Amino acid sequence: MTGGSTTGDDGAKAPSTGVHEKREPWPLWEVFVRSSRGLSHVHAGSLHAPDAEMAVRNARDLYTRRNEGVSLWVVPASAIVSSDPDAKGQFFESSQGKDYRHATYYTKSDGVKHL
Amino acid sequence: MSESNASATRITPGNALRPEDIASSSAKPTAEVAEYALRLGDDSLILAQRLGWWISRAPELEEDVALGNIALDLMGHARSFLTYAGHAWGKTEDDLAYLRREPEFRSAHLFEQPNGDFARTIARQLVVSHYQFELYSRLVESTDATLAAIAAKAVKEVDYHRDHASQWVRRLAQGTEESHNRMISGLTLTWPYVEELFTDDPLIDSLGDAAVLPSTLRKPFDALITALFAEAELQVPAVPGAIGGGRHGCHSEHLGYILAEMQVLAREHPGATW
Amino acid sequence: MAVAEDQADISAGEEQFNSLIAQDSRIEPRDWMPEAYRKSLTRQISQHAHSEIIGMQPEANWISRAPSLKRKAILMAKVQDEAGHGLYLYSAAETLGTSRDKMTEDLIAGKARYSSIFNYPALTWADMGAIGWLVDGAAIANQVPLCRASYGPYGRAMVRICKEESFHQRQGFEILLELANGTQAQRDMAQDAVNRWYAPSLMMFGPPDDDSPNSQQSMAWNIKRFSNDELRSRFVGMMVEQVRVLGLTLPDKDIRFNDETEKWEHGPLDWNEFKEVLAGRGPCNAQRMERRREAHEEGAWVREAAVAYADKQAKHSQQKAA
């Protein structure tokens, strides 16, 4: 597992702030939008904001201008922990090939009603 | 992943009262209600015109978008009120916005004040949004159904404007020494024009329950501002209120320039449609 | 880590990268990628972002004078969208490791490029129509294939942008349509704007294929899907159809459909002017940069105040918790 600053929905390298930069820039936040009641919040994009209060407001202004949502989450990009893309094998191989976890595996019961 | 699903969110126009709905309605205001709607419409129009300047000039891109949203809300309110007012005289929103002369406008001086720096704009936003929130939250009870309907949409929007302004007042007041000083200066420049907003006059009296008496809004306005200022360690500026006059066509020196710019193209092509 | 092991890692990463590109799959931020891919994408996406931001200016120039309230609202919403689009693109570029702050500094220091078309002035209201129809039209023609760019965050930003921009070109077209059906003065204004924006909009697709050194690599990496000339020719075909609906003309007597190649051809473009404008000698380069720099610098105290406030609040709540 790797922590650290992330952007995009599976995480990125920490953005370099540039050594010559004297001012501290606004941190990066990830925005999640619930498009209607009953659905999950889904990653919509990122933005910069000085703090959480402003981040959620900026998210409203930026990511719901066209009636896209009924609820918002903002998360500091640096708080996201993502799986290591190099460990993709060890992480995601196991779930491959286990057809018996899926209903489509059971063909003999095809056509039986209410099953 | 299909391309159409690649963006996580879906866009729709939503359904709310639009200026076009008012244009196509047959509701005709009385002359007094129309005059009142003109005031409300002009306030929002002139402020939207001012705020439009910030789009491409804000302190950060996120704020370009935020101020843009506020300007667009105000534009919507202005168009609704002006469209409705125009029904009394057989005029469109554009006739009213583009072809009236300065003394025919009814905006209060506060809305005409220059943007100044970001702190001054926020100070003006603070006052306007709190005033409009108190006003619209009562206007929803207006005996005039159209005014009530416009207010019902607007009140939710200006509630957000109120929050936006308050958030920034806190940050600027308690951020750095420079921002603190600029915030105080912005408030000081803004405060002389607060009083005009809360002044009653014969037109309002004649409207009865169709309108909201401005003087009744002062107390709740002061209570909210005082609470915010206490939290942000600010003082209400001790400056005298300026004599207004916008409601009967006597404006600040700024309005002439605002209108010259706003109306130049439309006036250059009389009768043209766009 | 031993050098040999390091190199083994790189070659494993490279193999993975090449295979993803070969399968036309997507590269995501934390994947290994060749330094040249990262650099080239950072350059392209940040230029694209800068173009959105600088591109706000010619249109913002007309917000205060829009001739009807409906048009004023539409224009405000459009220019505001462009700020949002710049922002989405900066975010995509940030996933490659360069901060928005750094990109903004490069822009205002004159080290970064943006689409040279925004260095032309918006002189009349009809320019709002021509910019929407021709400039946004060309941008959309460019952007639609970019929705499938191999770099995931870039593609996703483009999908969102294309969705939002669908109204931008239409509103431009409708401004021109209204003018074309209006008074003689309005018709003249519309034709004049089309005359001025036509050639620059064709040049937005970039230099001719035989003079576009980065194109091939970009296509090999599945960032670019079609060549500059291919997209330009398609665009000309679309404009030929649409200009008829407007009842206006395109200022190019050499437009023809080549039956042999089955492609639209256009008259010669002044690539020398293109290079001059790109090199900073356009009518508005200095003005655009000054305005961007001014907004950034005037905003510095606000951004600092917000950071200072956030720090104080954080300390305050820590003390409370302690």
Side-chain angles (χ1 to χ4, degrees), chain B residues 158-174:
Chain B
V158 299
D159 195 13
Y160 186 79
H161 305 175
R162 215 163 55 133
D163 176 68
H164 173 267
S166 306
Q167 293 294 341
W168 273 116
V169 166
R170 285 194 197 101
R171 279 162 186 76
L172 298 184
Q174 300 184 306

Side-chain angles (χ1 to χ4, degrees), chain A residues 48 51 53 57 61 66-67, chain B residues 12 62 69 163 167 171:
Chain A
H48 287 268
D51 54 44
E53 279 181 306
R57 285 161 178 82
D61 281 321
R66 287 177 171 80
N67 205 26
Chain B
T12 62
E62 281 80 358
N69 280 340
D163 176 68
Q167 293 294 341
R171 279 162 186 76

